Amino acid sequence: MASIDRVNIRPGVSMLSVLPHLNYKPWFALGEFVDNALQSFLANKAALREIEGRKFVLSVDIDIDYGAQRIVIRDNAGGIGSVAFPRAFRPAEVPADATGLSEFGMGMKSAAAWFAPRWSVRTKALDEGVERTVRFDIDKIVKDTIEELEVHSRKVPADQHYTEIILEDVRKMPQKRTIAKICDHLASIYRVFTRRGDMSLTLNGEPLTFDDPDILNANYWKRKSEPPRIWRKEVKIDLSGGRRAEGFVAIRAKGSTARAGLALLRRDRLIEGSADETYRPPEIFGAANSFAYQRVFGEINLVGFKVSHTKDGIRWDEAEEEFVGKLRAALSTPDMPLLDQAQNWRSTESARENRPQAQKAVTQMQDEMPIAKVGSVVAKVQAHQSDTPERDDLPQQRMHAKADDVAQRFDLDVLGARWEIDLALDYKDATCDWLRISDQPTHASGGSRRIGVRLAMLHPFSRRFFAGADADQIQGIARLAIGLVLSETIARDGGVKLAGRIRTSLNELLRLALSN
């Protein structure tokens, strides 16, 4: 075992002054220290478990002390040995084995410098009888162009093994309100290691563990007579350049806008998609209000890919489009149409999941739509209608198509009668009524009834509430419009007087009050 009195930090003297300006997020910066501990554990797992027993688990403890403006990270891994010690403190000194979690030679130095101007490292390597401590003071190092740091050593029992990093006068102290978010992200990033029992990770004494969501167990929505199945699919995708992606994708039993999405890992450590910042390419997940966006989740290990130096992003090198395309195809096979199921499966429970959004919506309505305003408009409508008490607001006999229409014809069987529905979504006229109808005379005996339904998509009500709607939402409002028109027509056929009054009142209200 070599005696080490000083450690050389060249060529990183000037580099140290740049590191505080890196674009880190606190959980990724803290993750650099966890990575070093994990790599030390993985490299020395056999020796550690020979000494400590087969059930030995890596312990990484992070303590954030707001009173002292200090962060301390402790682990019981293999420590920094005498062979690796000179390299460990030189910025950008790539380790001899860069296939693990420590690959750039920058993690500990860059994260420490980002957090604080002063820090120290105290470490005891496995099977060595010396504890070594190195202290960094960036301002002093840069000012005095210091190229070597003193190493303080003391003898300790050979069977001890640990590393302690103390960040002092922390300039980027995590806000107390973000501690829960940091815990959430760290638990997500190291889910594989904590899940399989390799590591115990704590922050301020709180164990950080990842809660795996329940997976949907249900029949395929198109074939409800089939038995239920677990909607989880193993994927293995070969990509160009000898790269590959492997893992699983599944459907959450309970949807979550924040928690659905993919986690992209490399070497079992999450790179993109932690906590509520999951990876959701629109080609797979659709719009933010789609069911797939709320339900699909998974973990994909990317093999053969490089990552950013802060380990918070995959370097795709133009392979992302290929990956997304092949993943979408893998999730759309006849034997496991996972994306189709995620988008179309419905349950009573999934409808109840939207109650918080429903509460938010009606509360917002109460704030935006005062009773007095609506009441005054209702009075105007009533006054207008009372002037023409015999007015039946009959539908037009025919409506003319427009160039910008989105149109479709439907054949429906309603109460044993055949109806032809001409639906037109009007994207031309912003000043017309929200809902218009036409009713052509009944054809000869045995023929069908033809009804026109025109919905104004540039109407103030539509622009406010459906401008960014997805296909399901537009379909829902179109179905409602058809239902209103059919109801009015059936009522008129049954002898109800002024059957069109509900539609005309609705049009007045939507333009004058309910759109604001």
Side-chain angles (χ1 to χ4, degrees):
M1 180 181 63
S3 175
I4 303 174
D5 299 320
R6 305 186 71 79
V7 63
N8 192 297
I9 60 171
R10 291 183 63 192
V13 175
S14 59
M15 187 183 300
L16 289 174
S17 63
V18 177
L19 296 179
H21 306 290
L22 289 174
N23 188 27
Y24 264 127
K25 290 181 178 178
W27 44 90
F28 282 117
L30 290 170
E32 297 286 11
F33 306 113
V34 181
D35 285 349
N36 283 353
L38 258 173
Q39 186 56 42
S40 175
F41 166 76
L42 295 172
N44 297 282
K45 184 190 290 189
L48 287 166
R49 287 186 170 168
E50 184 177 343
I51 294 173
E52 303 291 353
R54 290 185 299 109
K55 295 184 178 181
F56 173 78
V57 173
L58 168 66
S59 176
V60 181
D61 303 307
I62 303 169
D63 290 310
I64 300 177
D65 186 339
Y66 287 95
Q69 288 292 106
R70 185 173 70 171
I71 298 176
V72 181
I73 305 99
R74 301 181 181 89
D75 70 69
N76 63 348
I80 305 174
S82 56
V83 174
F85 204 84
R87 177 204 60 77
F89 298 97
R90 285 198 296 270
E93 184 79 11
V94 178
D97 180 7
T99 61
L101 299 178
S102 302
E103 56 185 304
F104 298 113
M106 285 294 296
M108 177 181 69
K109 283 85 69 176
S110 60
W114 183 81
F115 270 119
R118 296 189 298 117
W119 75 91
S120 64
V121 180
R122 182 171 66 92
T123 185
K124 163 63 179 62
L126 191 66
D127 294 333
E128 294 186 6
V130 177
E131 174 196 276
R132 300 184 179 93
T133 301
V134 178
R135 293 183 173 85
F136 279 74
D137 184 329
I138 292 180
D139 293 340
K140 183 174 178 60
I141 290 170
V142 173
K143 179 181 177 182
D144 298 338
T145 320
I146 296 172
E147 296 184 346
E148 287 188 336
L149 298 178
E150 186 177 356
V151 178
H152 300 272
S153 302
R154 70 183 184 96
K155 291 184 178 181
V156 294
D159 60 350
Q160 294 184 13
H161 47 90
Y162 52 82
T163 297
E164 178 187 73
I165 300 170
I166 301 177
L167 311 177
E168 300 180 81
D169 299 328
V170 177
R171 65 169 74 86
K172 290 185 173 70
M173 202 71 174
Q175 297 296 313
K176 291 183 179 180
R177 63 178 179 271
T178 65
I179 289 295
K181 187 170 185 178
I182 293 173
C183 291
D184 208 11
H185 279 276
L186 288 175
S188 183
I189 292 169
Y190 297 101
R191 64 180 76 182
V192 173
F193 301 100
T194 57
R195 181 188 292 148
R196 70 187 180 202
D198 276 344
M199 178 174 67
S200 167
L201 178 61
T202 69
L203 195 154
N204 288 347
E206 178 184 346
L208 306 185
T209 56
F210 182 76
D211 294 326
D212 292 294
D214 293 332
I215 297 175
L216 178 67
N217 182 9
N219 55 280
Y220 182 33
W221 75 277
K222 284 185 178 178
R223 296 189 287 272
K224 295 184 178 180
S225 60
E226 293 182 353
R229 59 172 123 169
I230 300 295
W231 287 91
R232 183 184 193 274
K233 182 167 185 176
E234 300 293 325
V235 295
K236 187 171 183 179
I237 301 170
D238 292 323
L239 300 167
S240 59
R243 294 169 290 194
R244 67 181 189 276
E246 51 194 27
F248 77 90
V249 179
I251 300 176
R252 294 176 60 100
K254 184 176 181 180
S256 172
T257 301
R259 296 296 177 175
L262 300 179
L264 303 183
L265 302 96
R266 193 190 64 147
R267 302 172 186 175
D268 290 334
R269 191 260 204 200
L270 187 144
I271 305 297
E272 284 189 45
S274 61
D276 58 351
E277 297 180 354
T278 49
Y279 177 76
R280 283 188 263 205
E283 297 87 344
I284 293 174
F285 289 86
N289 52 7
S290 71
F291 285 100
Y293 194 93
Q294 301 167 32
R295 290 177 174 167
V296 176
F297 78 102
E299 296 177 6
I300 305 292
N301 250 303
L302 298 174
V303 180
F305 284 84
K306 295 180 180 179
V307 298
S308 64
H309 70 280
T310 50
K311 300 179 191 172
D312 60 356
I314 301 293
R315 291 174 53 185
W316 289 102
D317 296 332
E318 301 183 356
E320 185 173 16
E321 184 177 350
E322 179 189 11
F323 164 70
V324 171
K326 289 186 174 181
L327 180 59
R328 178 178 173 82
L331 302 179
S332 305
T333 57
D335 63 312
M336 179 63 82
L338 192 141
L339 294 182
D340 185 36
Q341 175 76 352
Q343 187 61 28
N344 293 290
W345 184 79
R346 304 289 187 271
S347 73
T348 303
E349 189 59 35
S350 64
R352 289 194 183 104
E353 291 168 9
N354 206 40
R355 289 187 70 220
Q357 290 301 316
Q359 181 63 58
K360 179 179 178 182
V362 297
T363 301
Q364 187 174 349
M365 283 175 62
Q366 185 182 44
D367 295 337
E368 294 182 355
M369 196 174 67
I371 293 174
K373 185 173 183 180
V374 176
S376 64
V377 173
V378 171
K380 290 179 182 178
V381 173
Q382 291 173 337
H384 170 69
Q385 292 175 344
S386 65
D387 292 339
T388 54
E390 300 301 321
R391 178 184 173 192
D392 193 13
D393 295 305
L394 293 172
Q396 305 172 44
Q397 284 199 349
R398 183 186 299 272
M399 288 188 294
H400 297 287
K402 300 178 182 179
D404 292 333
D405 282 355
V406 174
Q408 186 66 47
R409 175 172 294 180
F410 306 93
D411 290 327
L412 296 179
D413 187 299
V414 180
L415 302 176
R418 185 184 173 197
W419 299 69
E420 292 180 10
I421 309 296
D422 289 321
L423 174 68
L425 304 183
D426 186 339
Y427 285 90
K428 181 75 172 178
D429 193 346
T431 61
C432 61
D433 287 340
W434 183 70
L435 178 62
R436 289 163 290 164
I437 71 172
S438 66
D439 185 0
Q440 297 187 23
T442 306
H443 294 182
S445 178
S448 61
R449 183 75 167 272
R450 189 170 180 181
I451 299 293
V453 180
R454 177 170 288 275
L455 199 57
M457 302 306 287
L458 298 185
H459 188 281
F461 180 76
S462 299
R463 288 205 310 271
R464 175 168 181 187
F465 296 106
F466 301 105
D470 64 11
D472 270 358
Q473 292 170 316
I474 292 174
Q475 183 181 147
I477 197 63
R479 286 172 182 254
L480 177 60
I482 291 171
L484 287 170
V485 168
L486 285 174
S487 297
E488 175 183 330
T489 306
I490 292 169
R492 182 179 294 106
D493 289 351
V496 175
K497 293 183 178 181
L498 305 178
R501 184 62 57 85
I502 291 177
R503 170 175 46 85
T504 55
S505 296
L506 174 65
N507 283 327
E508 294 272 5
L509 285 166
L510 289 183
R511 175 164 295 283
L512 297 175
L514 299 181
S515 298
N516 295 328

